[in-house]
Structure formats: C-alpha cells, structure tokens
Amino acid sequence: MKDKFSLEGKVALVTGAAYGIGFAIAESYAMAGARIAFNCRSQAHLDQALEAYRAKGIEAKGYLCDVTDEEQVVSMTEDIGKTLGPIDILVNNAGIIKRIPMTEMSVEDFRQVIDIDLNAAFIVSKAVLPKMMERRSGKIINVCSMMSELGRETVSAYAAAKGGLKMLTRNIASEYGGYNIQCNGIGPGYIATPQTAPLREKQPDGSRHPFDSFIIAKTPAARWGTPEDLMGPALFLASEASDFVNGQILYVDGGILAYIGKQP
Ligand code: NAP
Ligand code: GCO
C-alpha cells in the first residue's frame, strides 16, 4: 500500500505555501517524494519560507507571484514546467479573509476576497489543466473551508468565495474527470495559523478570546487544528490512493460539521 501513497517523481505546486496550511501540505508532499514549487506575494515571506524549507531538508522552488494575476501565473507555471517538469499536483491554497460586517464592507474589499479565494483558483487551474489533459493525469486540490457550508457574522465575502470554490471543485471534476484528472477539496476546520491568530488573542486579563472558547466548545475534538492535521488528508488527495475520488470535499475539522453544539 505504501506505493499508493507515494509521490515519488511527481511535481507539486502549492500556492501561498510560504507558511501556515500550505507550508505543511508542501512539506508532506516533499516527504512523500515530490518536488515542490510554491509562491507568495511578499519577498520577505519568500525568503523566510525558502529558509524554512531548507531547514527541513526540502529544496523547494519559490516564486513571487500573485495568484490573481494571470500573466504572472502563466509565467510561473511555464517556468515550473521547464525547470522541475510538468505539474502533476496543484493545490489552490493561497487565501485571505476580511472580517467586516457586510453592511460596512466596501465593494473593493468584497471583490478582493473573491478575487484571491475564488477567481485565482480558476486562473491557476486553467493554467495547469491543458498539460494535465495532454498527459491524461492530474490532481487539483482546492482548499475550501467550514465556510463552504456554514455562515457566520462578518465573513460574507469569504463564505461566498469558499462556497463558490466548492462548486468550482465539482465542476472541474465533472468537466475533466474523463481525462483522468481528479479535483477535490479539502475543508480545514479552525486551524491555528496567522490567518486565525486574531481569533485566539488573549484578553487583557489573560483569559481566552471568547471566539477561542467558542471554537473549543464547538469542536468535538475540543481543540484547534494544526497545519500538520492537514498533511495526511492532503497527501491522500494528491496520491494514486484517491484515483477514483472526484468532486468531493474532505472536511478535516475535528468533527465540527457533525456536531450541533453544546446546550448552553
Ligand atoms: P495564512 O497563514 O494567512 O497563509 C496564507 C498564504 O497565502 C501566505 O503564504 C500568503 O503569502 C499567501 N497569499 C495570500 N494571498 C496571496 C496571493 N494573492 N497570491 C499568492 N499568495 C498569496 O493562511 P492559512 O490559514 O494557512 O490558510 C491557507 C488556506 O486555507 C486559505 O485558503 C484559507 O482560506 C484556508 N483555510 C484556513 C483555515 C484556518 O483556520 N486557518 C481554515 C479553513 C481554510 P503572502 O502574504 O506573502 O502573499
Ligand atoms: C473565521 C475564520 C474561518 C476559518 C476557516 C474555517 O473568521 O471564521 O477565519 O473562516 O479561517 O476557513 O474553516
């Protein structure tokens, strides 16, 4: 069975993998034998990430590339093709959140979230699909969210984008499944990364942030997830072990979506 989960000889592009969930996914792919490419927007993040990959013995290829810019994306994917080889695995991980009540949110802010969290997955997938179709093989993994299923105050743009990403996932699976391309989503629960740091900030009196306590109570596992919790599920979706799994969203949430919540 080990061979079914091996990524030996594969090339993986994980977008936004300078740190957080993307970094852990890229690390797991490298441990399974893949060559890794990643991108982010900030030079400082790129330099830190290259150092962090090296410290783990991983020779990752890093690019400064904004996933919302089609020209930059095409030039990055072409370069990966020339230097590492054709992209076998794409993880659309880059994402942002803006927590603003909907009636106070500007159209520009709403559009920016949709652009990075949804439109970019279209742009990067479109750039890699033709070569995958030629080779009749490919894996695309879209990083979805609890907000692909649930709403909550202040995250209208994020929920709209992640709900859309779930349907883009199903549509890529439907449209290109015949080329032996699998497109699935991974839906992390509440994971401790810089994106969620403001929700875990200690109160002035040293007590937990109310949202932090709320998440612990709402999660049957009674803890926040870690980026490492995504490693096994993301490896499954990138490997031959999932070759007949297509258009699914694999939630990795410690049980949140199964649970109605504690009575007050
Ligand atoms: P994070 O810690 O904020 O990391 C985001 C990464 O994306 C960084 O490397 C960032 O680098 C990059 N990035 C952002 N915008 C980009 C753009 N336009 N082009 C290229 N790179 C970009 O986020 P995370 O918590 O690891 O989340 C990763 C993904 O998982 C996101 O899609 C997020 O929505 C999703 N997710 C997170 C959680 C959670 O609880 N943390 C739960 C469910 C889903 P630069 O800033 O240098 O560009
Ligand atoms: C929020 C959070 C989330 C998570 C994640 C949940 O403010 O509710 O940031 O949306 O990051 O996507 O799966």
Side-chain angles (χ1 to χ4, degrees), residues 42-88:
S42 135
Q43 183 68 53
H45 292 161
L46 186 77
D47 295 342
Q48 283 161 17
L50 287 169
E51 192 46 49
Y53 281 112
R54 252 179 249 124
K56 290 188 177 279
I58 300 166
E59 272 311 315
K61 197 154 173 36
Y63 292 85
L64 266 190
C65 166
D66 185 329
V67 284
T68 63
D69 184 322
E70 190 168 21
E71 248 179 65
Q72 288 181 24
V73 167
V74 168
S75 132
M76 170 176 71
T77 51
E78 284 179 358
D79 193 72
I80 295 169
K82 282 185 209 135
T83 55
L84 297 183
I87 297 170
D88 299 288

Side-chain angles (χ1 to χ4, degrees), residues 190-256:
Y190 278 81
I191 312 294
T193 69
Q195 190 194 85
T196 53
L199 305 174
R200 281 174 286 107
E201 252 170 30
K202 284 263 186 301
Q203 299 297 87
D205 67 359
S207 62
R208 281 180 185 275
H209 192 295
F211 196 86
D212 183 355
S213 309
F214 163 67
I215 286 303
I216 306 273
K218 180 75 184 89
T219 309
R223 65 169 176 87
W224 283 72
T226 64
E228 290 71 28
D229 285 321
L230 278 316
M231 285 177 147
L235 177 58
F236 167 63
L237 293 178
S239 69
E240 202 188 310
S242 62
D243 276 358
F244 202 54
V245 179
N246 214 354
Q248 299 298 313
I249 312 297
L250 175 51
Y251 289 102
V252 185
D253 66 352
I256 295 179

Side-chain angles (χ1 to χ4, degrees), residues 1 6 47 62 73 79 90 108 116 125 134 136 141 155-156 167 173 199 214 228 243-244 251:
M1 276 309 283
S6 168
D47 295 342
V73 167
D79 193 72
L90 163 65
E108 289 70 30
I116 298 178
S125 302
E134 259 172 51
R136 299 194 78 81
I141 296 135
V155 298
S156 56
M167 285 314 301
L199 305 174
F214 163 67
E228 290 71 28
D243 276 358
F244 202 54
Y251 289 102

